[in-house]
Structures are given as structure tokens and as C-alpha cells.
Amino acid sequence: MFFVAASLVIVLDSTPKFLAVFDIVRNQYFYLGEDIVATIPLAAIEMVCGFLIIETVETGSEGMGFALLTSFTVLSQPFGTAVSEQIFGFIQPSLSDIQNYAQDSPSFRTTVASSYLLQYGTTLAACLLLPLIPGQKEEAQRRKQEWHSRKSYAIVAMTSFTMIFMYSIAVLALSLMPESA
């Protein structure tokens, strides 16, 4: 269900974006409507994540588990933006130059389309981790009993969270200044 919902989000999100990028349909109402449609599969993904938290977190710690998952989910957006700013900072025509949007050249359209393809590709690549998620309630309960919990897992999770957070803030702050963008 998770993969189907993620794929559906990509299809619903990419259709109006690529139609607008390549000047097939340039209507603001058509382009803005995809956000509304894409929220349905996104809600399904949130529901699956909620069920996963309920089944895998110890009783009484559901709030902390949900907060941790939500924090990583919310952090993924600025992290993805920061990484894409750095990757596409090396590509010409630049996505940071406002003149490129006004000129709307074919090479710039290709660059914009490439940025969207990178976004969708990383989403699909993340789906390769789906086999790590327990398939059913029984499997989740079995993992809770058989898999070891270690303090080092928490240290790795919080260290990576902190480093990703600091990296995201630094890159996004630097991208606001024209001399470092």
C-alpha cells in the first residue's frame, strides 16, 4: 500500500508539473489543483506510518515514537531542498537565476524537469527500504520481542538527525545570500 500510494503521489504530482514545464498546459488553476489531489495518497501514507508506530513502539511510548517519526518526516523537506540546491548549483542554466524563468528557454525547461526527476527518483529509491517495515501486526510483535534494543541505535538516530538539521539550516541560510547561492 505504501509503495502504491507513493507511486500515485508521483504520478499525480508529476503530470501537471511536466505539462507546465514543457508549455503544454500553462493554466494556474490546472497546476494548483494537483496539490489537492495528491493529499489523498499522502493521507494514506500518514495512516500507514501511524499504524506502524502503534505496533512497534512500547506501550506508553507511542507519543515519543510518533514525535520522532514526525520530526524526521518534517526534516526531510528542508534536507531535500538543501541537497538539491547544492546539486543544481553546479548545473547551467541555474535554477537560482530569476532571468532563466523569464527567458523560459528549452535548456532551462530541461534543467527544471531534471530537478523534478531527481526528486521523484529519490522518492522511489527510498521505497527500496520498504522491506524493512513489518508486513503485519504479528511480524511487528515478533520483531519487538526478538530484535535487540540498544542505546547505540538511539545515539545514531539522534546524531544523524542533528547533523542533517544543522546541514539543512547552513545550506539554506547560505543560499539566501547571492554571493554564496
Side-chain angles (χ1 to χ4, degrees):
M1 179 175 162
F2 198 94
F3 179 74
V4 171
S7 300
L8 190 58
V9 168
I10 289 173
V11 168
L12 294 174
D13 188 58
S14 66
T15 302
K17 282 191 174 138
F18 285 119
L19 290 175
V21 165
F22 291 109
D23 200 18
I24 297 168
V25 177
R26 289 266 173 110
N27 182 320
Q28 69 269 23
Y29 301 111
F30 176 75
Y31 183 76
L32 293 175
E34 60 92 17
D35 284 338
I36 296 167
V37 176
T39 56
I40 295 168
L42 285 172
I45 290 171
E46 289 292 325
M47 183 180 70
V48 169
C49 289
F51 290 151
L52 181 65
I53 292 292
I54 291 169
E55 292 302 325
T56 56
V57 177
E58 294 295 324
T59 304
S61 299
E62 293 92 350
M64 186 174 16
F66 188 75
L68 186 62
L69 178 72
T70 303
S71 297
F72 272 105
T73 303
V74 170
L75 184 60
S76 67
Q77 180 65 36
F79 178 68
T81 302
V83 170
S84 66
E85 290 275 343
Q86 285 198 309
I87 290 172
F88 284 97
F90 298 111
I91 297 175
Q92 295 300 323
S94 174
L95 291 172
S96 301
D97 187 1
I98 195 78
Q99 292 298 331
N100 289 328
Y101 292 94
Q103 293 172 355
D104 199 25
S105 68
S107 63
F108 183 66
R109 290 179 185 179
T110 303
T111 301
V112 172
S114 299
S115 70
Y116 285 125
L117 288 173
L118 177 66
Q119 174 190 359
Y120 301 136
T122 55
T123 300
L124 291 175
C127 288
L128 295 173
L129 298 173
L130 286 176
L132 296 175
I133 298 175
Q136 294 294 324
K137 182 177 182 175
E138 295 78 26
E139 186 180 352
Q141 296 298 324
R142 184 180 52 77
R143 284 187 187 183
K144 270 174 64 173
Q145 292 172 349
E146 294 176 3
W147 288 19
H148 301 288
S149 62
R150 296 191 177 145
K151 189 176 181 179
S152 60
Y153 296 160
I155 292 170
V156 168
M158 293 315 295
T159 302
S160 61
F161 179 84
T162 303
M163 291 178 70
I164 290 170
F165 180 70
M166 291 174 16
Y167 167 80
S168 300
I169 292 209
V171 171
L172 293 176
L174 288 171
S175 69
L176 294 174
M177 296 179 281
E179 55 273 358
S180 62

